[in-house]
mmCIF file of all heavy atoms in Angstrom:
data_model
loop_
_atom_site.group_PDB
_atom_site.id
_atom_site.type_symbol
_atom_site.label_atom_id
_atom_site.label_comp_id
_atom_site.label_asym_id
_atom_site.label_seq_id
_atom_site.Cartn_x
_atom_site.Cartn_y
_atom_site.Cartn_z
ATOM 1 N N VAL A 1 10.373 18.025 5.098
ATOM 2 C CA VAL A 1 10.899 18.019 3.736
ATOM 3 C C VAL A 1 10.150 18.985 2.823
ATOM 4 O O VAL A 1 10.723 19.513 1.859
ATOM 5 C CB VAL A 1 10.864 16.583 3.152
ATOM 6 C CG1 VAL A 1 9.438 16.083 2.954
ATOM 7 C CG2 VAL A 1 11.658 16.503 1.857
ATOM 8 N N ARG A 2 8.886 19.265 3.093
ATOM 9 C CA ARG A 2 8.122 20.171 2.240
ATOM 10 C C ARG A 2 7.896 21.536 2.892
ATOM 11 O O ARG A 2 7.986 22.579 2.233
ATOM 12 C CB ARG A 2 6.758 19.561 1.884
ATOM 13 C CG ARG A 2 5.983 20.355 0.850
ATOM 14 C CD ARG A 2 4.676 19.690 0.488
ATOM 15 N NE ARG A 2 4.871 18.410 -0.164
ATOM 16 C CZ ARG A 2 5.028 18.249 -1.475
ATOM 17 N NH1 ARG A 2 5.030 19.303 -2.268
ATOM 18 N NH2 ARG A 2 5.177 17.048 -1.995
ATOM 19 N N TYR A 3 7.619 21.569 4.182
ATOM 20 C CA TYR A 3 7.206 22.818 4.837
ATOM 21 C C TYR A 3 8.268 23.394 5.776
ATOM 22 O O TYR A 3 8.032 24.401 6.426
ATOM 23 C CB TYR A 3 5.893 22.592 5.588
ATOM 24 C CG TYR A 3 4.782 22.211 4.639
ATOM 25 C CD1 TYR A 3 4.293 20.918 4.580
ATOM 26 C CD2 TYR A 3 4.254 23.157 3.759
ATOM 27 C CE1 TYR A 3 3.303 20.562 3.685
ATOM 28 C CE2 TYR A 3 3.264 22.813 2.856
ATOM 29 C CZ TYR A 3 2.787 21.517 2.824
ATOM 30 O OH TYR A 3 1.814 21.169 1.922
ATOM 31 N N GLY A 4 9.436 22.760 5.820
ATOM 32 C CA GLY A 4 10.552 23.325 6.566
ATOM 33 C C GLY A 4 11.308 24.346 5.737
ATOM 34 O O GLY A 4 10.846 24.778 4.674
ATOM 35 N N ASN A 5 12.481 24.744 6.217
ATOM 36 C CA ASN A 5 13.286 25.745 5.514
ATOM 37 C C ASN A 5 14.080 25.079 4.389
ATOM 38 O O ASN A 5 15.297 24.933 4.456
ATOM 39 C CB ASN A 5 14.214 26.460 6.495
ATOM 40 C CG ASN A 5 13.457 27.260 7.526
ATOM 41 O OD1 ASN A 5 13.802 27.259 8.689
ATOM 42 N ND2 ASN A 5 12.415 27.950 7.103
ATOM 43 N N TYR A 6 13.365 24.693 3.371
ATOM 44 C CA TYR A 6 13.905 23.974 2.214
ATOM 45 C C TYR A 6 14.982 24.806 1.513
ATOM 46 O O TYR A 6 14.825 26.021 1.398
ATOM 47 C CB TYR A 6 12.734 23.714 1.250
ATOM 48 C CG TYR A 6 13.033 22.777 0.117
ATOM 49 C CD1 TYR A 6 12.868 21.409 0.260
ATOM 50 C CD2 TYR A 6 13.486 23.282 -1.098
ATOM 51 C CE1 TYR A 6 13.134 20.551 -0.798
ATOM 52 C CE2 TYR A 6 13.760 22.422 -2.151
ATOM 53 C CZ TYR A 6 13.580 21.064 -1.992
ATOM 54 O OH TYR A 6 13.849 20.217 -3.029
ATOM 55 N N PRO A 7 16.095 24.196 1.068
ATOM 56 C CA PRO A 7 16.426 22.771 1.040
ATOM 57 C C PRO A 7 17.173 22.272 2.267
ATOM 58 O O PRO A 7 17.664 21.145 2.253
ATOM 59 C CB PRO A 7 17.316 22.680 -0.202
ATOM 60 C CG PRO A 7 18.097 23.964 -0.166
ATOM 61 C CD PRO A 7 17.120 25.004 0.359
ATOM 62 N N PHE A 8 17.256 23.097 3.311
ATOM 63 C CA PHE A 8 18.015 22.703 4.511
ATOM 64 C C PHE A 8 17.100 21.907 5.439
ATOM 65 O O PHE A 8 16.804 22.329 6.567
ATOM 66 C CB PHE A 8 18.570 23.949 5.200
ATOM 67 C CG PHE A 8 19.354 24.828 4.264
ATOM 68 C CD1 PHE A 8 18.789 25.953 3.695
ATOM 69 C CD2 PHE A 8 20.659 24.505 3.927
ATOM 70 C CE1 PHE A 8 19.499 26.758 2.824
ATOM 71 C CE2 PHE A 8 21.385 25.302 3.052
ATOM 72 C CZ PHE A 8 20.808 26.425 2.495
ATOM 73 N N VAL A 9 16.667 20.766 4.956
ATOM 74 C CA VAL A 9 15.640 19.979 5.636
ATOM 75 C C VAL A 9 16.060 18.514 5.681
ATOM 76 O O VAL A 9 17.047 18.115 5.061
ATOM 77 C CB VAL A 9 14.277 20.108 4.918
ATOM 78 C CG1 VAL A 9 13.742 21.530 5.023
ATOM 79 C CG2 VAL A 9 14.390 19.701 3.438
ATOM 80 N N THR A 10 15.283 17.716 6.392
ATOM 81 C CA THR A 10 15.487 16.273 6.370
ATOM 82 C C THR A 10 14.666 15.692 5.212
ATOM 83 O O THR A 10 14.083 16.433 4.421
ATOM 84 C CB THR A 10 15.107 15.641 7.725
ATOM 85 O OG1 THR A 10 15.558 14.283 7.764
ATOM 86 C CG2 THR A 10 13.615 15.721 7.995
ATOM 87 N N SER A 11 14.595 14.362 5.120
ATOM 88 C CA SER A 11 13.975 13.741 3.944
ATOM 89 C C SER A 11 12.596 13.166 4.228
ATOM 90 O O SER A 11 12.072 12.399 3.418
ATOM 91 C CB SER A 11 14.889 12.626 3.418
ATOM 92 O OG SER A 11 16.155 13.134 3.071
ATOM 93 N N SER A 12 11.998 13.528 5.345
ATOM 94 C CA SER A 12 10.686 12.974 5.694
ATOM 95 C C SER A 12 9.778 14.083 6.214
ATOM 96 O O SER A 12 10.217 15.212 6.438
ATOM 97 C CB SER A 12 10.836 11.881 6.759
ATOM 98 O OG SER A 12 11.415 12.406 7.945
ATOM 99 N N HIS A 13 8.508 13.732 6.412
ATOM 100 C CA HIS A 13 7.556 14.684 6.982
ATOM 101 C C HIS A 13 7.625 14.597 8.502
ATOM 102 O O HIS A 13 7.254 13.592 9.107
ATOM 103 C CB HIS A 13 6.138 14.392 6.491
ATOM 104 C CG HIS A 13 5.906 14.806 5.079
ATOM 105 N ND1 HIS A 13 5.999 16.124 4.671
ATOM 106 C CD2 HIS A 13 5.601 14.093 3.970
ATOM 107 C CE1 HIS A 13 5.758 16.201 3.373
ATOM 108 N NE2 HIS A 13 5.519 14.987 2.928
ATOM 109 N N THR A 14 8.092 15.681 9.104
ATOM 110 C CA THR A 14 8.290 15.719 10.554
ATOM 111 C C THR A 14 7.080 16.284 11.289
ATOM 112 O O THR A 14 7.086 16.355 12.519
ATOM 113 C CB THR A 14 9.510 16.590 10.885
ATOM 114 O OG1 THR A 14 9.280 17.920 10.395
ATOM 115 C CG2 THR A 14 10.771 16.030 10.233
ATOM 116 N N ILE A 15 6.056 16.714 10.556
ATOM 117 C CA ILE A 15 4.910 17.381 11.163
ATOM 118 C C ILE A 15 3.785 16.375 11.450
ATOM 119 O O ILE A 15 3.796 15.246 10.952
ATOM 120 C CB ILE A 15 4.399 18.527 10.269
ATOM 121 C CG1 ILE A 15 4.043 18.012 8.869
ATOM 122 C CG2 ILE A 15 5.469 19.619 10.174
ATOM 123 C CD1 ILE A 15 3.515 19.075 7.929
ATOM 124 N N ALA A 16 2.811 16.805 12.234
ATOM 125 C CA ALA A 16 1.771 15.890 12.713
ATOM 126 C C ALA A 16 0.989 15.239 11.581
ATOM 127 O O ALA A 16 0.633 14.056 11.656
ATOM 128 C CB ALA A 16 0.818 16.641 13.649
ATOM 129 N N SER A 17 0.724 15.974 10.509
ATOM 130 C CA SER A 17 -0.050 15.397 9.412
ATOM 131 C C SER A 17 0.723 14.326 8.661
ATOM 132 O O SER A 17 0.146 13.566 7.878
ATOM 133 C CB SER A 17 -0.510 16.488 8.442
ATOM 134 O OG SER A 17 0.595 17.236 7.976
ATOM 135 N N GLY A 18 2.034 14.236 8.904
ATOM 136 C CA GLY A 18 2.828 13.174 8.300
ATOM 137 C C GLY A 18 2.595 11.821 8.939
ATOM 138 O O GLY A 18 3.023 10.791 8.404
ATOM 139 N N ILE A 19 1.913 11.807 10.081
ATOM 140 C CA ILE A 19 1.664 10.555 10.784
ATOM 141 C C ILE A 19 0.770 9.625 9.974
ATOM 142 O O ILE A 19 0.976 8.406 9.959
ATOM 143 C CB ILE A 19 1.041 10.834 12.164
ATOM 144 C CG1 ILE A 19 2.056 11.544 13.064
ATOM 145 C CG2 ILE A 19 0.547 9.551 12.832
ATOM 146 C CD1 ILE A 19 1.484 12.018 14.381
ATOM 147 N N GLY A 20 -0.234 10.188 9.278
ATOM 148 C CA GLY A 20 -1.168 9.366 8.509
ATOM 149 C C GLY A 20 -0.481 8.474 7.496
ATOM 150 O O GLY A 20 -0.565 7.244 7.566
ATOM 151 N N PRO A 21 0.230 9.068 6.504
ATOM 152 C CA PRO A 21 0.917 8.218 5.523
ATOM 153 C C PRO A 21 2.046 7.391 6.118
ATOM 154 O O PRO A 21 2.342 6.301 5.625
ATOM 155 C CB PRO A 21 1.454 9.225 4.493
ATOM 156 C CG PRO A 21 1.448 10.546 5.179
ATOM 157 C CD PRO A 21 0.325 10.500 6.159
ATOM 158 N N ALA A 22 2.682 7.881 7.188
ATOM 159 C CA ALA A 22 3.797 7.142 7.790
ATOM 160 C C ALA A 22 3.333 5.850 8.458
ATOM 161 O O ALA A 22 4.055 4.849 8.463
ATOM 162 C CB ALA A 22 4.528 8.019 8.796
ATOM 163 N N LEU A 23 2.134 5.864 9.028
ATOM 164 C CA LEU A 23 1.625 4.690 9.742
ATOM 165 C C LEU A 23 0.519 3.967 8.983
ATOM 166 O O LEU A 23 0.060 2.908 9.423
ATOM 167 C CB LEU A 23 1.117 5.098 11.134
ATOM 168 C CG LEU A 23 2.136 5.756 12.060
ATOM 169 C CD1 LEU A 23 1.499 6.054 13.416
ATOM 170 C CD2 LEU A 23 3.377 4.894 12.231
ATOM 171 N N GLY A 24 0.064 4.543 7.874
ATOM 172 C CA GLY A 24 -1.000 3.909 7.105
ATOM 173 C C GLY A 24 -2.346 3.966 7.796
ATOM 174 O O GLY A 24 -3.122 3.010 7.762
ATOM 175 N N ILE A 25 -2.638 5.117 8.424
ATOM 176 C CA ILE A 25 -3.897 5.269 9.156
ATOM 177 C C ILE A 25 -4.673 6.469 8.624
ATOM 178 O O ILE A 25 -4.117 7.338 7.942
ATOM 179 C CB ILE A 25 -3.651 5.461 10.669
ATOM 180 C CG1 ILE A 25 -2.803 6.706 10.908
ATOM 181 C CG2 ILE A 25 -2.994 4.231 11.273
ATOM 182 C CD1 ILE A 25 -2.728 7.125 12.347
ATOM 183 N N ALA A 26 -5.947 6.520 8.959
ATOM 184 C CA ALA A 26 -6.801 7.631 8.535
ATOM 185 C C ALA A 26 -6.427 8.902 9.297
ATOM 186 O O ALA A 26 -6.081 8.842 10.489
ATOM 187 C CB ALA A 26 -8.266 7.285 8.796
ATOM 188 N N PRO A 27 -6.498 10.065 8.648
ATOM 189 C CA PRO A 27 -6.181 11.327 9.341
ATOM 190 C C PRO A 27 -7.107 11.601 10.514
ATOM 191 O O PRO A 27 -6.737 12.328 11.436
ATOM 192 C CB PRO A 27 -6.322 12.387 8.245
ATOM 193 C CG PRO A 27 -7.056 11.732 7.135
ATOM 194 C CD PRO A 27 -6.785 10.276 7.221
ATOM 195 N N SER A 28 -8.313 11.023 10.505
ATOM 196 C CA SER A 28 -9.250 11.238 11.615
ATOM 197 C C SER A 28 -8.752 10.646 12.928
ATOM 198 O O SER A 28 -9.261 10.979 13.990
ATOM 199 C CB SER A 28 -10.613 10.629 11.273
ATOM 200 O OG SER A 28 -10.486 9.236 10.997
ATOM 201 N N LEU A 29 -7.744 9.780 12.842
ATOM 202 C CA LEU A 29 -7.193 9.170 14.060
ATOM 203 C C LEU A 29 -6.113 10.025 14.711
ATOM 204 O O LEU A 29 -5.588 9.671 15.760
ATOM 205 C CB LEU A 29 -6.613 7.783 13.747
ATOM 206 C CG LEU A 29 -7.617 6.681 13.383
ATOM 207 C CD1 LEU A 29 -6.897 5.381 13.103
ATOM 208 C CD2 LEU A 29 -8.636 6.492 14.496
ATOM 209 N N ILE A 30 -5.783 11.156 14.079
ATOM 210 C CA ILE A 30 -4.723 12.021 14.608
ATOM 211 C C ILE A 30 -5.347 13.166 15.394
ATOM 212 O O ILE A 30 -6.110 13.965 14.853
ATOM 213 C CB ILE A 30 -3.846 12.574 13.469
ATOM 214 C CG1 ILE A 30 -3.266 11.420 12.643
ATOM 215 C CG2 ILE A 30 -2.716 13.435 14.029
ATOM 216 C CD1 ILE A 30 -2.603 11.866 11.358
ATOM 217 N N GLY A 31 -5.031 13.244 16.674
ATOM 218 C CA GLY A 31 -5.591 14.276 17.538
ATOM 219 C C GLY A 31 -4.698 15.494 17.647
ATOM 220 O O GLY A 31 -3.720 15.651 16.906
ATOM 221 N N GLY A 32 -5.037 16.391 18.580
ATOM 222 C CA GLY A 32 -4.242 17.586 18.822
ATOM 223 C C GLY A 32 -2.842 17.228 19.274
ATOM 224 O O GLY A 32 -2.634 16.262 20.027
ATOM 225 N N ALA A 33 -1.868 18.010 18.822
ATOM 226 C CA ALA A 33 -0.463 17.695 19.087
ATOM 227 C C ALA A 33 0.038 18.374 20.359
ATOM 228 O O ALA A 33 -0.421 19.453 20.735
ATOM 229 C CB ALA A 33 0.398 18.115 17.910
ATOM 230 N N ILE A 34 0.985 17.713 21.001
ATOM 231 C CA ILE A 34 1.780 18.337 22.058
ATOM 232 C C ILE A 34 3.048 18.856 21.401
ATOM 233 O O ILE A 34 3.821 18.091 20.827
ATOM 234 C CB ILE A 34 2.126 17.328 23.169
ATOM 235 C CG1 ILE A 34 0.842 16.817 23.845
ATOM 236 C CG2 ILE A 34 3.054 17.970 24.199
ATOM 237 C CD1 ILE A 34 1.084 15.718 24.865
ATOM 238 N N GLY A 35 3.250 20.155 21.439
ATOM 239 C CA GLY A 35 4.427 20.765 20.823
ATOM 240 C C GLY A 35 5.528 20.981 21.844
ATOM 241 O O GLY A 35 5.274 21.443 22.952
#
């Protein structure tokens, strides 16, 4: 929603850093992503 090709985007954070607020966890719990 913020870093995609706005405004042709969805309404949520689809990227790895969106996991923190989505699950209510600390960012330190998010490791390297599989793309």
